[in-house]
Amino acid sequence: MNSKLLTSVACAGLTHHEANIEKLEEFRFSDEEQFLQDAREHFKGVVLLQTCNRVEIFVQGESMALENFLESKGRSGFWTLEGCKALTHLLRLACGMDSMIVGEDQIIGQLKKALTFAHEVGVCSQVLDLCINKAVHTGIEVRKRTHINNGAVSIGSAAVKLAEELLGSLEGRHILVVGGGEMGKLVAQALAAKNLTAIYVTNRTFETAKRLAEEIGGKAVMMDELYHYISLSDVVISCTAAPHPVIHCEPLREIINRQRWPIEEVKKPLILIDIAQPRDIEENVSVIEGIKLFTIDDLRSVSEKNMKSRRQEALMAEAFLIEESKHFITLLNRACANETLGDLHTWAESIRIRERDKALARVNNADERIKDIFDDFSKVLMKKLLADATFAVRSCAEYGDLETADKLVLAITRGKRPCSPREDLED
């Protein structure tokens, strides 16, 4: 199969592989809708994927144009991929093979959400819709064929694992989860399996916190009681979708100075784990004595252990992706024939309607039933006559030869004789 791609597809981004949390925050786009609308002026389609450890932009267009556009937005230090390399990256991404936690399942939902939002804003093209959906389908299939996600942890459960490593055990501990969204649910579910004394859940919307707390047997608390329950906790894991910090330095300093555990002779350290993007906890919190602050960057050790246990499964997935990449190119190239086929079918439809009307004019007092019969007959006849031509055009496109497909349509619609390769050279 020809590996030539007939349409321009590119992606660019910054991920946990190249950047720490500070750089990812700087690269992030706070107003996603405005960014997509601006990008749509330069590309046929655009999808923006922003998660806690990556920011990636997929476009139907050229990589150089994407690079120039991002630079005009004040972004730098990012990578770009084009054509087949961009498609392969998208497949690996959907399979969880590019994730910090190899094999994690959340990326599937994140890609679907990014695609849905692009459609809502009106910036997604047919080609990008095909790309994202194909990647999602492949990601699901890889997880069925391999054990790459067996026991796979998410960023949320990796945060729980980190807390467990730091404390030795979570048994008998008090833990506060700040945030009731998708990541908060993952954290809470991971905590529910531990033998904790108390799990507190808080969220900007109290009803959300209440629902999540009921699911895991925890206690929902009001957001305005945040610092009180921080003072009661051994670990705080924060993962809201707020665009600004929700846990600030001065209130934390105050509760630490007021002795969180007055009956203890030795102060226990308060462990804060911030897995939000942008960050939930002010960075200068780490200078407060008695507080240990950890971020997504500190989850890399969990990621490395995860990768070792899934290396063999990842190799199996890579072998499957080689074949899927070929199918991906074929699928996209087939879609590229739609415009050419549109010309063919428009031409045929105009003839069908003209000849149908001529035939009906020869029938005296044709009622609606007769008209429907003529119309159905002409449609079926046209479809059958165009079947072989449609197949030939799509086959040419699948093999990366859209030029021959165009010549075939011109030969049919305009009676233009297709040139042989020798005649092309002579011209």
Side-chain angles (χ1 to χ4, degrees), residues 31-39 41 69 73 117 121:
D31 191 336
E32 294 190 8
E33 183 172 350
Q34 187 60 57
F35 170 81
L36 289 171
Q37 290 173 344
D38 291 346
E41 295 179 9
F69 174 71
K73 291 290 183 180
F117 188 65
V121 178

Side-chain angles (χ1 to χ4, degrees), residues 332-345:
L332 277 182
N333 284 348
R334 174 188 282 264
C336 289
N338 288 343
E339 186 175 344
T340 300
L341 285 172
D343 294 339
L344 175 63
H345 285 262

